Amino acid sequence: MSAFVHPDEIRSRFSAALSAMYRAEVPQYGELLTLVAEVNAEALKADPAGADRLAAAGELARLSEERHGAIRVGTADELATIARAFAVMGMAPVSYYNLAPAGVPVHSTAFRPVDPAALARNPFRVFCSLLRLELIEDQELRQEAAAALARRDIFTPGARALIAAAATAGGLDEDQADRFVSELLETFRWHAEATVSASVYERLVAAHRLIADVVSFKGPHINHLTPRTLDIDAAQAAMPERGITPKETIEGPPARACPILLRQTSFKALQEAIAFPGADGAVQGVHTARFGEIEQRGCALTPKGRALYDDALTTKDFSTLPDDWTALRRNGLAWFRYRATPDGLAGRAETADLEALIAKGHVVAEPITYEDFLPVSAAGIFQSNLGAEVRDAYAVDPAKADFEQALGRSVLDEMALYQAEQDASAAVALKACCICTAG
């Protein structure tokens, strides 16, 4: 029997194939990749010490291939099946995001690797949103949307067969893995032919542009693919010089010496020609949905740190969050990974006091990269690329239980994942450099 291809390798192949496809479909994405590579090279050149820290933490090796994508699905079956597809690639649903309060009729999760070693190999993520049909006020339109979604299958027969084969056998062999990547890529491909009439499309747009984007096509085309930069302000400033029009503001926290969470910007969504079915042949129209995005990832914050950040969003005063790594760590505001230094390995200290070992240079504390998303920022990116109209918040409660029922499993708690990584690294570091914990 052939050996299974590691899920990390399948994820890397799929991420690379998706990036190549999107680059062919949206040429400005290619320009964005070039820009980000140049900005990152300049940032590393300007800060050699920072580059050394990134290299020591394993962040540098993953930087050039890091991507996150976003898709929007329409039904529980689509969500559950895409979850099984991502599982083949070692990606699990992390956190629940309710975007309805920001006027976007979806709720979401992020599929990503959760093991630190898997993240180091390839941190590909997909922010996946499920349309909340119940938020379409017009009952007739809601029924038409449901009927349109019921008529389609966003997965090829080959993709469904390979997803099932992986679940049954516990993995995919070399040939199956290559076919899986090829078949699943079709789910993310752009289709310029609408599945609804022009009149239904216009009614869907009037209800919400995102509803029209989810309902009107054969599949949940990838609507953006995002490289990671080390200096998003420089990237934002350089975009117009490349003929790329950025959104007006950068989403997320302000620029800081010690970056936290996630900052995002994007270029305006493209107007793309589409064809609607008609009695006398195709009817030509345009659709606006797909765009390019850049992100800068900082340190993951603890629940205490996130509470301060969320308050700062309201007050616009971010001074309550120290812009200093030591203060963030000692005040329990951010998550850190601990690592024994060569001096620590050689010293064999008699204390298990982590602070004392850090002070002696026997252990270093490295901020853990934030691997997740911010609902306010996600909504801001969506809205900026869905037209000029401002949508009121939907007056609904979060529907996490409904989302998890559709998903077929519970979402993972991002804070528990960061806590586990911090605790495990501290235990390993202490065992490595303390006589008292040796054994």
Side-chain angles (χ1 to χ4, degrees), residues 250-418:
I250 294 172
E251 299 286 345
R256 294 164 47 95
C258 300
I260 57 170
L261 298 173
L262 177 66
R263 304 182 74 206
Q264 297 169 285
T265 190
S266 68
F267 65 68
K268 296 292 186 179
L270 309 173
Q271 262 205 351
E272 299 180 272
I274 58 172
F276 298 101
D280 301 319
V283 177
Q284 299 304 309
V286 295
H287 180 66
T288 304
R290 300 194 301 165
F291 56 93
E293 185 180 86
I294 301 172
E295 66 182 16
Q296 180 176 348
R297 291 189 172 269
C299 183
L301 297 183
T302 63
K304 182 180 177 182
R306 277 300 296 268
L308 290 178
Y309 174 75
D310 291 342
D311 286 344
L313 283 178
T314 303
T315 63
K316 307 301 180 187
D317 178 12
F318 287 85
S319 63
T320 55
L321 272 167
D323 197 4
D324 174 83
W325 291 129
T326 300
L328 286 168
R329 183 177 58 79
R330 288 180 174 170
N331 291 318
L333 301 177
W335 299 112
F336 286 81
R337 181 187 303 107
Y338 296 97
R339 179 170 53 84
T341 65
D343 286 346
L345 294 172
R348 308 300 293 158
E350 295 184 4
T351 178
D353 184 330
L354 203 55
E355 287 298 326
L357 291 168
I358 291 170
K360 291 178 66 174
H362 286 195
V363 171
V364 292
E366 299 161 340
I368 295 176
T369 298
Y370 186 60
E371 305 288 354
D372 298 288
F373 296 91
L374 303 171
V376 173
S377 295
I381 291 284
F382 281 9
Q383 291 286 32
S384 70
N385 285 287
L386 290 170
E389 69 269 26
V390 176
R391 295 286 180 172
D392 293 333
Y394 289 95
V396 294
D397 293 327
K400 183 179 180 182
D402 293 341
F403 184 87
E404 291 182 327
Q405 183 177 6
L407 181 66
R409 59 166 293 181
S410 299
V411 298
L412 300 178
D413 177 1
E414 65 181 64
M415 292 299 179
L417 294 172
Y418 294 124

Side-chain angles (χ1 to χ4, degrees), residues 111-323:
F111 290 96
R112 67 168 178 88
V114 296
D115 178 71
L119 282 164
R121 284 190 284 270
N122 188 302
F124 178 57
R125 317 166 189 82
V126 176
F127 190 81
C128 182
S129 300
L130 173 64
L131 178 63
R132 298 184 65 177
L133 278 173
E134 75 274 14
L135 299 184
I136 301 177
E137 294 181 5
D138 183 329
Q139 183 177 351
E140 182 182 348
L141 184 63
R142 185 164 64 246
Q143 291 172 343
E144 288 183 86
L149 292 170
R151 288 192 298 267
R152 75 182 189 180
D153 188 347
I154 67 173
F155 302 96
T156 66
R160 285 189 177 273
L162 287 162
I163 291 167
T168 300
L172 299 176
D173 63 26
E174 189 71 35
D175 175 65
Q176 289 175 317
D178 283 341
R179 286 191 289 119
F180 171 81
V181 169
S182 178
E183 295 283 353
L184 188 62
L185 207 60
E186 295 306 308
T187 297
F188 292 76
R189 191 179 298 280
W190 169 248
H191 297 280
E193 299 80 26
T195 57
V196 300
S197 67
S199 61
V200 170
Y201 174 82
E202 291 302 331
R203 289 167 59 211
L204 291 168
V205 168
H208 199 292
R209 285 184 177 274
L210 185 141
I211 297 173
D213 183 58
V214 175
V215 173
S216 304
F217 298 91
K218 181 179 178 180
H221 39 258
I222 189 86
N223 60 66
H224 64 271
L225 205 54
T226 306
R228 178 181 169 190
T229 185
L230 298 174
D231 189 343
I232 199 166
D233 297 284
Q236 173 93 342
M239 284 167 75
E241 301 168 12
R242 305 297 184 97
I244 303 172
T245 303
K247 71 186 295 294
E248 288 76 11
T249 57
I250 294 172
E251 299 286 345
R256 294 164 47 95
C258 300
I260 57 170
L261 298 173
L262 177 66
R263 304 182 74 206
Q264 297 169 285
T265 190
S266 68
F267 65 68
K268 296 292 186 179
L270 309 173
Q271 262 205 351
E272 299 180 272
I274 58 172
F276 298 101
D280 301 319
V283 177
Q284 299 304 309
V286 295
H287 180 66
T288 304
R290 300 194 301 165
F291 56 93
E293 185 180 86
I294 301 172
E295 66 182 16
Q296 180 176 348
R297 291 189 172 269
C299 183
L301 297 183
T302 63
K304 182 180 177 182
R306 277 300 296 268
L308 290 178
Y309 174 75
D310 291 342
D311 286 344
L313 283 178
T314 303
T315 63
K316 307 301 180 187
D317 178 12
F318 287 85
S319 63
T320 55
L321 272 167
D323 197 4

